Coordinates of all heavy atoms in Angstrom, one line a residue:
S1 N 92.6 88.2 70.9 CA 94.0 88.8 70.9 C 94.0 90.3 70.9 O 94.9 90.9 71.5 CB 94.8 88.2 69.8 OG 94.9 86.8 69.9
I2 N 93.0 90.9 70.2 CA 92.9 92.4 70.3 C 92.7 92.8 71.7 O 93.3 93.8 72.2 CB 91.7 92.8 69.4 CG1 92.1 92.7 67.9 CG2 91.4 94.3 69.6 CD1 91.0 93.1 66.9
F3 N 91.7 92.2 72.4 CA 91.5 92.6 73.8 C 92.7 92.3 74.7 O 93.1 93.2 75.5 CB 90.3 91.8 74.4 CG 89.0 92.2 73.7 CD1 88.2 91.3 73.1 CD2 88.5 93.5 73.9 CE1 87.0 91.6 72.5 CE2 87.3 93.9 73.3 CZ 86.5 92.9 72.6
C4 N 93.4 91.2 74.5 CA 94.6 90.9 75.3 C 95.7 91.9 75.0 O 96.5 92.3 75.9 CB 95.1 89.5 75.0 SG 93.9 88.2 75.6
G5 N 95.9 92.3 73.7 CA 96.9 93.3 73.4 C 96.6 94.6 74.0 O 97.5 95.3 74.5
G6 N 95.3 95.0 74.2 CA 95.0 96.2 74.9 C 95.4 96.1 76.4 O 95.9 97.1 76.9
I7 N 95.1 95.0 77.0 CA 95.5 94.8 78.4 C 97.0 94.9 78.6 O 97.5 95.7 79.5 CB 95.0 93.4 78.9 CG1 93.5 93.3 78.9 CG2 95.6 93.1 80.3 CD1 93.0 91.9 79.2
D8 N 97.8 94.3 77.8 CA 99.2 94.3 77.9 C 99.8 95.7 77.8 O 100.6 96.2 78.5 CB 99.9 93.4 76.9 CG 99.7 91.9 77.2 OD1 99.4 91.6 78.4 OD2 99.9 91.1 76.3
T9 N 99.3 96.4 76.8 CA 99.8 97.8 76.5 C 99.5 98.8 77.6 O 100.4 99.5 78.1 CB 99.3 98.3 75.1 OG1 99.6 97.3 74.1 CG2 99.8 99.6 74.8
I10 N 98.2 98.9 78.0 CA 97.8 99.9 78.9 C 98.4 99.6 80.3 O 98.8 100.5 81.0 CB 96.3 99.9 79.0 CG1 95.7 100.4 77.6 CG2 95.8 100.9 80.1 CD1 96.2 101.7 77.2
V11 N 98.5 98.3 80.7 CA 99.0 98.0 82.1 C 100.4 98.5 82.2 O 100.7 99.1 83.2 CB 98.9 96.5 82.3 CG1 99.8 96.1 83.4 CG2 97.4 96.1 82.6
N12 N 101.3 98.2 81.2 CA 102.7 98.6 81.4 C 102.8 100.1 81.3 O 103.6 100.7 82.1 CB 103.5 97.9 80.3 CG 103.7 96.4 80.5 OD1 104.4 96.0 81.4 ND2 103.0 95.6 79.7
A13 N 102.2 100.8 80.4 CA 102.3 102.2 80.2 C 101.8 102.9 81.4 O 102.4 103.9 81.9 CB 101.6 102.7 78.9
E14 N 100.6 102.6 81.9 CA 100.0 103.2 83.0 C 100.8 103.0 84.3 O 100.9 103.9 85.1 CB 98.6 102.8 83.2 CG 97.6 103.5 82.4 CD 97.6 105.0 82.7 OE1 97.1 105.4 83.7 OE2 98.1 105.8 81.8
H15 N 101.3 101.8 84.5 CA 102.1 101.5 85.7 C 103.3 102.5 85.8 O 103.5 103.1 86.9 CB 102.5 100.1 85.7 CG 103.4 99.8 86.9 ND1 102.8 99.4 88.1 CD2 104.7 99.8 87.1 CE1 103.8 99.2 89.0 NE2 105.0 99.4 88.4
I16 N 104.0 102.6 84.7 CA 105.2 103.4 84.8 C 104.8 104.9 84.9 O 105.5 105.7 85.6 CB 106.1 103.2 83.5 CG1 106.6 101.8 83.5 CG2 107.2 104.2 83.4 CD1 107.5 101.4 82.3
R17 N 103.7 105.3 84.3 CA 103.3 106.7 84.4 C 102.9 107.0 85.8 O 103.2 108.1 86.3 CB 102.0 106.9 83.5 CG 101.5 108.4 83.5 CD 100.2 108.5 82.8 NE 99.1 107.9 83.6 CZ 98.5 108.4 84.6 NH1 98.8 109.6 85.0 NH2 97.5 107.7 85.2
I18 N 102.3 106.1 86.5 CA 101.8 106.4 87.9 C 103.0 106.4 88.9 O 103.1 107.2 89.7 CB 100.7 105.3 88.3 CG1 99.5 105.5 87.5 CG2 100.4 105.4 89.8 CD1 98.5 104.3 87.7
W19 N 103.9 105.4 88.8 CA 104.9 105.2 89.8 C 106.2 105.8 89.5 O 107.1 105.9 90.4 CB 105.0 103.7 90.1 CG 103.7 103.1 90.7 CD1 102.9 102.3 90.0 CD2 103.2 103.3 92.0 NE1 101.8 102.0 90.8 CE2 102.0 102.6 92.0 CE3 103.6 104.0 93.1 CZ2 101.2 102.6 93.2 CZ3 102.8 104.0 94.2 CH2 101.6 103.3 94.2
G20 N 106.5 106.1 88.2 CA 107.7 106.8 87.9 C 108.9 106.0 88.2 O 109.0 104.8 87.9
S21 N 109.9 106.6 88.9 CA 111.2 105.9 89.2 C 111.0 104.8 90.2 O 111.9 104.0 90.4 CB 112.2 106.9 89.7 OG 111.7 107.6 90.9
D22 N 109.9 104.7 90.9 CA 109.6 103.7 91.9 C 108.9 102.5 91.3 O 108.3 101.7 92.0 CB 108.8 104.2 93.1 CG 109.5 105.3 93.8 OD1 110.8 105.2 93.9 OD2 108.8 106.3 94.3
N23 N 109.0 102.3 90.0 CA 108.1 101.3 89.3 C 108.6 99.9 89.4 O 107.8 99.0 89.3 CB 108.0 101.7 87.8 CG 109.3 101.5 87.0 OD1 109.7 100.4 86.7 ND2 109.9 102.6 86.7
Q24 N 109.9 99.7 89.6 CA 110.5 98.3 89.5 C 109.9 97.2 90.3 O 109.4 96.2 89.8 CB 112.0 98.4 89.7 CG 112.8 98.6 88.4 CD 112.5 97.5 87.4 OE1 112.8 96.4 87.5 NE2 112.0 98.0 86.2
P25 N 109.8 97.4 91.7 CA 109.2 96.3 92.5 C 107.8 96.0 92.1 O 107.3 94.9 92.0 CB 109.4 96.8 93.9 CG 110.5 97.8 93.9 CD 110.4 98.4 92.5
L26 N 107.0 97.1 91.9 CA 105.6 96.9 91.6 C 105.4 96.4 90.2 O 104.4 95.6 89.9 CB 104.8 98.2 91.8 CG 104.8 98.7 93.3 CD1 104.2 100.1 93.3 CD2 104.0 97.8 94.1
L27 N 106.2 96.8 89.3 CA 106.1 96.2 87.9 C 106.4 94.7 87.9 O 105.8 93.9 87.2 CB 107.1 97.0 87.0 CG 107.0 96.6 85.5 CD1 105.6 97.0 85.0 CD2 108.0 97.4 84.7
Q28 N 107.4 94.3 88.7 CA 107.7 92.9 88.9 C 106.5 92.2 89.5 O 106.2 91.0 89.1 CB 109.0 92.7 89.7 CG 110.3 93.2 89.1 CD 110.7 92.3 88.0 OE1 110.2 91.2 87.8 NE2 111.8 92.7 87.3
F29 N 105.8 92.8 90.4 CA 104.7 92.2 91.0 C 103.5 92.0 90.0 O 102.9 91.0 90.0 CB 104.1 93.1 92.2 CG 102.9 92.5 92.9 CD1 103.0 91.5 93.7 CD2 101.7 93.1 92.6 CE1 101.9 90.9 94.4 CE2 100.5 92.6 93.2 CZ 100.6 91.5 94.1
I30 N 103.3 93.0 89.2 CA 102.3 92.8 88.1 C 102.6 91.6 87.2 O 101.7 90.8 86.9 CB 102.2 94.1 87.3 CG1 101.4 95.2 88.1 CG2 101.5 93.9 86.0 CD1 101.2 96.5 87.3
H31 N 103.9 91.5 86.8 CA 104.2 90.4 86.0 C 104.3 89.1 86.7 O 104.2 88.0 86.1 CB 105.5 90.7 85.3 CG 105.4 91.8 84.2 ND1 105.1 91.5 82.9 CD2 105.5 93.1 84.2 CE1 105.0 92.6 82.2 NE2 105.3 93.6 83.0
F32 N 104.4 89.1 88.0 CA 104.3 87.9 88.8 C 102.9 87.4 88.8 O 102.7 86.2 88.7 CB 104.7 88.2 90.3 CG 104.1 87.2 91.3 CD1 104.6 85.9 91.3 CD2 103.1 87.6 92.1 CE1 104.1 85.0 92.2 CE2 102.6 86.7 93.0 CZ 103.1 85.4 93.1
T33 N 101.9 88.3 88.8 CA 100.5 87.8 88.8 C 100.2 87.2 87.4 O 99.4 86.2 87.3 CB 99.5 89.0 89.0 OG1 99.7 90.0 88.0 CG2 99.8 89.5 90.4
F34 N 100.9 87.7 86.4 CA 100.7 87.0 85.0 C 101.2 85.6 85.1 O 100.6 84.7 84.6 CB 101.5 87.8 84.0 CG 101.7 87.1 82.7 CD1 100.6 87.0 81.8 CD2 102.9 86.5 82.4 CE1 100.8 86.4 80.6 CE2 103.0 85.9 81.2 CZ 102.0 85.8 80.3
A35 N 102.4 85.4 85.7 CA 103.0 84.1 85.8 C 102.1 83.2 86.7 O 102.0 82.0 86.4 CB 104.4 84.2 86.4
L36 N 101.5 83.8 87.7 CA 100.6 83.0 88.6 C 99.4 82.4 87.8 O 99.0 81.3 88.0 CB 100.1 83.8 89.7 CG 99.3 83.2 90.8 CD1 100.0 82.0 91.5 CD2 98.8 84.2 91.8
G37 N 98.9 83.2 86.9 CA 97.8 82.7 86.0 C 98.3 81.6 85.1 O 97.6 80.6 84.9
G38 N 99.6 81.7 84.7 CA 100.1 80.6 83.9 C 100.3 79.3 84.7 O 100.2 78.2 84.1
V39 N 100.5 79.4 86.0 CA 100.6 78.2 86.9 C 99.2 77.6 87.0 O 99.0 76.3 87.0 CB 101.1 78.6 88.3 CG1 101.1 77.4 89.2 CG2 102.6 79.1 88.1

C-alpha cells in the first residue's frame, strides 16, 4: 500500500503540473486506465 499510495499521489500531481488548464480530458483518460485494470 505504501508503493500504491506513491503511485496515486505522484500521477495526479504531475499530470496537473504538466498539462495545466488542459488537464481534464487527459486526467479522465488516466483514471479510465485505472478502471480498465479493475475490469
Side-chain angles (χ1 to χ4, degrees):
S1 297
I2 287 180
F3 291 119
C4 292
I7 295 172
D8 287 342
T9 301
I10 298 300
V11 162
N12 287 288
E14 273 302 287
H15 175 85
I16 292 179
R17 182 189 69 82
I18 292 171
W19 296 106
S21 60
D22 297 325
N23 70 75
Q24 267 302 298
L26 293 172
L27 189 59
Q28 292 287 351
F29 179 76
I30 283 180
H31 287 273
F32 159 71
T33 61
F34 168 77
L36 184 61
V39 174

